Amino acid sequence: MTHILIVEDDVEAALTMQKGLKEQGFDSTVTHDGEAGLKALRGGGFDVVVLDRMMPGLDGVSMLEIARSEGMDIPVLFLSALGELEDRVYGLKAGADDYLVKPYALVELVARVEALLRRKDTGAVESVLRVGELEMNLITRVVKRGTTEIDLQPREFQLLEFLMRHVGQSVTRTMLLEKVWAYHFDPQTNVIDVHISRLRAKLDKGFDKPMLHTVRGEGYQLKA
Amino acid sequence: MPFRIPNFRNLSLSGRASGSENRSPLFGMRLSANVFRQTPFRLTLMFITVYSFVAVLIFAYIYIASSSETKAVSDAQVKSRIDYLEEVYREQGEAAVLETLVEEDITEWFFIKNIYDDQGRVLAQNRRAMTEVTPRVFNHIRERIKTLPDARAPFQINYRLTDPAGQRKAYAYRGQVLTLRPGLNLYVGMDTSWSEKGFDMGFKALWGGGVLVIVLGLFAGMIINNEVSRSVQGLMQVFDAVKEGDLKARAKLRHSGDEFDALAQRVNETLDRMEKTMGNLKYAGDAIAHDLRTPLSRLRSKLEVSLYDVEKDPSQAPDVIEKALAETDQLLRTFQTVFSMSRLQAAGQAPDQKPFDATALAMDMCELFEILAEDKGLEFTSEIDKGVTAFGNRDFLAQALANLLDNAIKYTQTGGITLRLRVNSRQEVEFSVTDTGQGVPEADRARITQRFVRLENSRSLPGVGLGLSMVEAVAVAHRGRLTIDEGPGVYKDQGPGLRTALVLPPYGG
């Protein structure tokens, strides 16, 4: 079972997070400061770390720098209430793999944790992605559902590729804007929804079983 | 340094200090012990001390230099007399020298001369010696001679006598003694009191002048001190008031154009700025509080009502919670936007700015928003110049453009949206969004960039009224600007539309 280390000084927030992750099937251990987090991390047995940036004593950035300098390459998701661009850049420079701004939706946290776990175990370069009857050839850029070829715009192709690489996981609007369009901002509107519904129309039209689902809250999920 | 001389009408030299202690700059309350601790007065004292020291040094130098000159001159003069008289004695004998000594011409008025025997009896003396050398003085001269190591060495004698008119008079002679033969001694002394008198006068002038300088200096010091402390105290009162929380306190300007006035002006300008900023913050705080209060109380009452519904029909629970979540998200988003804006405004400029491909940004925005417009049945067109580079923070600018495009789509019912990117005639990078919606009346255009301002016809649409405020904050943080103009005009049931432009300064690359 996947084991997550949560380093968060706000006890209540940490417990809520632990409960939420448990619901999604992730076990977690909570520590409340950088020193304890580092100690737990040195003990090993974790698959991903959710690390709060601002903590009394050893803060998240310093703790991460120490961990990285000791050669620990465990994926780390940074949490911060700051949320501005320079803070994110700073966090990523310190060695974080992803960055999430408080307040966040639980689904967003889970989605990002899943993405980090995924990153950890896929090292191989694939040329064909398959999800159920959906097949994407990354070289010829042909997408088929069953025998039906689906004609996609370049961005729709990238969108679907991302969803296929995170099959079975929830991905949020912010994640999509960040990973597919490479922008970090709050689109404020349903602009991502419109793109998804376009893709969904092409993907699920004429098929009984929909593959692209809307997740209650604020995300999407591709299911086989 | 242009010290400001105060209005002398304010100087009260008499004891007229009552009732207007603040306006009596010289002898009012200010002249207390702490005047010595005030900088201008201390500087004055320092200058007076330095001046006095230098004056004394100069005078001492002159005194030493000229008194040694006086000695040299008088010694030479005395020696020439003695030599002459000795020659007379050697060539013409004792009687001749006695006669010569007595019958001298008027040029010898500066000298006393006498010849005396070993018992101290005067054998001959000139006229001046007769009047100015009393037996007592003469004895004094003889006593002095005995103390000299070298009998021919020059020596100085000073004495005072009461003259026949009854006035005390100071005498100073410098002279020498020559023994012509045992029992025949010649003394010649030269009056050096003129030199002493000159020094006396110089000394008196210096003292008098010095005292005058010191008195005037102190006087000026106090005036300057009062002038400065009045200005400084005015400023200190302002700072005290501000410290106590009165941001409206301002220093009084005297329009004299001096440094204190300039300083007071800066202080006032700074306070104006602070007051405005505080006002903005307070306004933003109030606005957030107001804006959060409404949805929060709505959320609360909805949850309250939902609780009854859920008790009756538990299957409704997910729906209720989902709606509550959506409302909470909206609140958080509002909060986040205001927070971002405040950080931008506080920093004064957007972080992490670098050259970026403006053409690509415009194309990405097109691609993102085109289908949103099409979904609403609007035509989306773009005119994007190729190869435009701009300098800035790409994500903040994307946010700003997204807000402009989102607004345009939201407020346009029929017609279309156009996104343009061009380098204008001033080499500025100009992103503009034109729509064919109802537009914004000119009178409201300045207002709509303010936080939480929403026009009447937009109240039914989602949003909180932060979009354009954010765009403006982003523009300013890039030393650019947001302009809002009328769109393409009225056509059938459309228009006149709105044209918003985000203009960035020229990229010099």
Side-chain angles (χ1 to χ4, degrees):
Chain A
M1 195 179 196
T2 308
H3 204 142
I4 299 170
L5 176 63
I6 299 171
V7 189
E8 158 73 89
D9 62 315
D10 180 344
V11 177
E12 198 169 330
L15 292 179
T16 310
M17 198 191 301
Q18 191 172 32
K19 195 176 163 212
L21 288 169
K22 184 86 189 163
E23 293 291 324
Q24 304 293 319
F26 296 109
D27 242 7
S28 56
T29 300
V30 175
T31 59
H32 296 301
D33 60 63
E35 282 87 3
L38 203 55
K39 207 174 150 202
L41 203 53
R42 284 178 184 139
F46 297 102
D47 301 291
V48 70
V49 184
V50 178
L51 178 59
D52 188 32
R53 174 162 176 188
M54 300 244 246
M55 285 182 296
L58 190 63
D59 68 291
V61 173
S62 312
M63 180 196 144
L64 181 57
E65 277 168 354
I66 294 171
R68 291 292 187 236
S69 73
E70 289 176 10
M72 293 184 235
D73 60 351
I74 183 166
V76 172
L77 173 63
F78 236 54
L79 290 182
S80 164
L82 301 172
E84 282 301 331
L85 190 78
E86 70 260 48
D87 303 321
R88 196 183 65 231
V89 170
Y90 189 49
L92 295 181
K93 264 187 198 154
D97 298 275
D98 203 356
Y99 191 100
L100 188 55
V101 175
K102 286 180 187 175
Y104 51 85
L106 189 63
V107 58
E108 182 94 32
L109 175 73
V110 171
R112 286 179 191 260
V113 165
E114 279 176 338
L116 287 180
L117 290 167
R118 183 100 186 169
R119 189 183 302 174
K120 198 184 160 200
D121 55 39
T122 55
V125 181
E126 298 146 299
S127 60
V128 177
L129 300 176
R130 279 194 192 82
V131 174
E133 53 183 345
L134 190 63
E135 186 183 294
M136 171 179 272
N137 188 316
L138 294 170
I139 293 158
T140 62
R141 303 189 79 79
V142 171
V143 179
K144 282 181 186 169
R145 181 165 179 182
T147 52
T148 318
E149 196 169 312
I150 300 170
D151 185 27
L152 294 178
Q153 299 291 318
R155 190 71 76 186
E156 290 165 347
F157 187 89
Q158 284 174 276
L159 197 52
L160 183 60
E161 181 187 341
F162 185 80
L163 288 165
M164 289 178 80
R165 285 190 188 277
H166 295 89
V167 61
Q169 304 168 9
S170 297
V171 294
T172 65
R173 294 177 182 85
T174 320
M175 271 174 92
L176 288 174
L177 188 64
E178 228 176 274
K179 311 289 181 194
V180 179
W181 278 272
Y183 281 101
H184 298 271
F185 66 87
D186 173 13
Q188 304 248 356
T189 60
N190 54 347
V191 60
I192 302 298
D193 300 343
V194 179
H195 283 268
I196 288 284
S197 59
R198 282 273 170 116
L199 179 62
R200 179 185 282 144
K202 291 187 178 180
L203 206 61
D204 290 340
K205 203 174 176 183
F207 294 93
D208 297 335
K209 191 182 149 212
M211 293 184 77
L212 187 47
H213 301 268
T214 300
V215 180
R216 198 185 276 275
E218 53 175 289
Y220 300 98
Q221 196 173 31
L222 188 71
K223 284 182 189 161
Chain B
M1 188 182 291
F3 285 123
R4 212 179 90 83
I5 302 302
N7 188 340
F8 277 90
R9 274 173 303 177
N10 283 343
L11 289 185
S12 107
L13 294 173
S14 62
R16 208 161 47 84
S18 61
S20 61
E21 280 158 359
N22 281 342
R23 297 188 61 81
S24 168
L26 209 52
F27 298 104
M29 293 291 286
R30 304 289 167 67
L31 201 57
S32 58
N34 76 3
V35 78
F36 295 104
R37 270 181 282 153
Q38 287 166 359
T39 311
F41 195 78
R42 285 204 330 233
L43 283 176
T44 309
L45 283 183
M46 206 180 84
F47 278 117
I48 288 173
T49 310
V50 168
Y51 164 80
S52 310
F53 184 67
V54 169
V56 166
L57 274 185
I58 290 173
F59 189 78
Y61 172 77
I62 292 173
Y63 181 83
I64 290 165
S66 63
S67 78
S68 73
E69 177 70 15
T70 304
K71 278 179 191 163
V73 168
S74 50
D75 288 351
Q77 292 283 335
V78 166
K79 189 170 184 298
S80 77
R81 264 71 188 173
I82 284 186
D83 287 351
Y84 172 68
L85 287 171
E86 189 184 13
E87 201 182 310
V88 169
Y89 172 76
R90 299 251 175 269
E91 290 177 0
Q92 300 172 35
E94 193 175 323
V97 76
L98 293 173
E99 198 172 328
T100 309
L101 190 106
V102 175
E103 286 173 8
E104 62 185 6
D105 69 55
I106 196 76
T107 58
E108 298 301 294
W109 179 242
F110 273 104
F111 299 89
I112 50 173
K113 303 172 185 173
N114 49 27
I115 294 177
Y116 56 96
D117 64 16
D118 287 346
Q119 283 70 46
R121 280 180 302 232
V122 175
L123 303 177
Q125 60 186 346
N126 71 348
R127 280 229 298 274
R128 188 143 186 200
M130 245 186 286
T131 57
E132 293 185 0
V133 183
T134 61
R136 217 176 117 218
V137 171
F138 183 62
N139 276 330
H140 178 63
I141 294 173
R142 283 174 56 227
E143 291 305 312
R144 276 292 294 280
I145 293 165
K146 285 180 196 157
T147 67
L148 295 174
D150 171 8
R152 285 208 61 172
F155 61 93
Q156 175 86 29
I157 56 166
N158 294 302
Y159 57 95
R160 285 170 187 277
L161 282 180
T162 311
D163 71 358
Q167 285 197 323
R168 294 280 288 176
K169 211 175 154 191
Y171 297 90
Y173 287 96
R174 192 170 168 80
Q176 294 172 31
V177 170
L178 176 65
T179 303
L180 297 170
R181 66 166 168 77
L184 196 62
N185 305 302
L186 170 63
Y187 170 74
V188 176
M190 187 178 175
D191 182 0
T192 55
S193 63
W194 51 272
S195 158
E196 301 287 322
K197 275 178 197 146
F199 274 116
D200 242 33
M201 274 166 63
F203 216 64
K204 276 177 189 152
L206 192 88
W207 270 119
V211 168
L212 198 68
V213 164
I214 289 168
V215 168
L216 281 178
L218 287 174
F219 188 73
M222 276 190 280
I223 290 172
I224 293 168
N225 194 55
N226 266 289
E227 190 63 12
V228 170
S229 75
R230 201 149 50 119
S231 306
V232 170
Q233 274 188 354
L235 285 178
M236 287 202 291
Q237 279 166 8
V238 171
F239 282 121
D240 284 346
V242 171
K243 198 169 71 189
E244 295 300 317
D246 176 16
L247 271 181
K248 295 211 184 300
R250 293 292 181 276
K252 280 202 191 86
L253 296 183
R254 292 176 300 174
H255 304 290
S256 55
D258 66 4
E259 299 94 326
F260 289 111
D261 231 27
L263 182 61
Q265 181 129 25
R266 301 276 153 81
V267 167
N268 284 354
E269 283 166 8
T270 308
L271 287 173
D272 285 346
R273 177 105 187 252
M274 260 174 66
E275 197 188 351
K276 201 178 160 200
T277 311
M278 296 287 280
N280 281 351
L281 282 177
K282 191 173 174 300
Y283 173 73
D286 289 352
I288 295 172
H290 175 266
D291 215 70
L292 294 187
R293 192 162 46 215
T294 313
L296 271 175
S297 30
R298 195 170 57 211
L299 179 63
R300 194 187 179 284
S301 44
K302 269 190 194 167
L303 283 173
E304 218 169 1
V305 172
S306 309
L307 190 59
Y308 299 120
D309 293 344
V310 172
E311 275 169 358
K312 272 183 254 164
D313 177 8
S315 71
Q316 282 187 17
D319 255 15
V320 168
I321 292 172
E322 201 171 321
K323 275 182 195 149
L325 274 176
E327 292 222 10
T328 316
D329 284 347
Q330 181 59 55
L331 277 172
L332 288 174
R333 208 170 282 151
T334 303
F335 204 74
Q336 183 69 34
T337 308
V338 172
F339 181 64
S340 291
M341 267 193 278
S342 303
R343 291 221 356 182
L344 272 185
Q345 280 160 354
Q349 56 175 3
D352 206 24
Q353 296 192 48
K354 48 184 161 230
F356 69 94
D357 186 344
T359 301
L361 174 63
M363 307 248 277
D364 284 342
M365 287 298 135
C366 257
E367 194 250 345
L368 257 173
F369 283 87
E370 188 173 10
I371 67 170
L372 190 65
E374 284 170 3
D375 248 32
K376 203 179 167 182
L378 302 172
E379 193 184 339
F380 192 99
T381 51
S382 62
E383 294 165 22
I384 297 169
D385 281 3
K386 296 270 175 277
V388 180
T389 304
F391 188 81
N393 182 307
R394 181 173 161 274
D395 286 311
F396 274 117
L397 292 166
Q399 175 81 69
L401 286 178
N403 289 6
L404 292 181
L405 286 163
D406 181 52
N407 269 349
I409 294 168
K410 204 155 66 178
Y411 296 116
T412 303
Q413 304 312 320
T414 57
I417 313 289
T418 307
L419 171 66
R420 287 189 186 84
L421 167 66
R422 60 170 189 144
V423 176
N424 69 14
S425 56
R426 289 200 278 176
Q427 299 302 305
E428 294 164 321
V429 178
E430 182 185 290
F431 295 91
S432 66
V433 177
T434 310
D435 65 53
T436 56
Q438 282 196 345
V440 174
E442 204 169 344
D444 289 328
R445 280 179 206 154
R447 204 159 66 87
I448 56 173
T449 57
Q450 291 170 14
R451 292 176 178 193
F452 299 112
V453 168
R454 304 194 69 201
L455 299 180
E456 278 309 316
N457 59 359
S458 69
R459 297 233 191 259
S460 57
L461 293 167
V464 293
L466 284 175
L468 287 177
S469 318
M470 182 69 189
V471 178
E472 180 147 70
V474 170
V476 169
H478 286 87
R479 301 185 202 297
R481 61 183 187 276
L482 166 68
T483 63
I484 300 171
D485 300 294
E486 194 165 290
V490 179
Y491 172 72
K492 291 183 185 166
D493 56 342
Q494 296 170 6
L498 197 67
R499 178 183 182 276
T500 50
L502 174 62
V503 187
L504 299 180
Y507 172 62

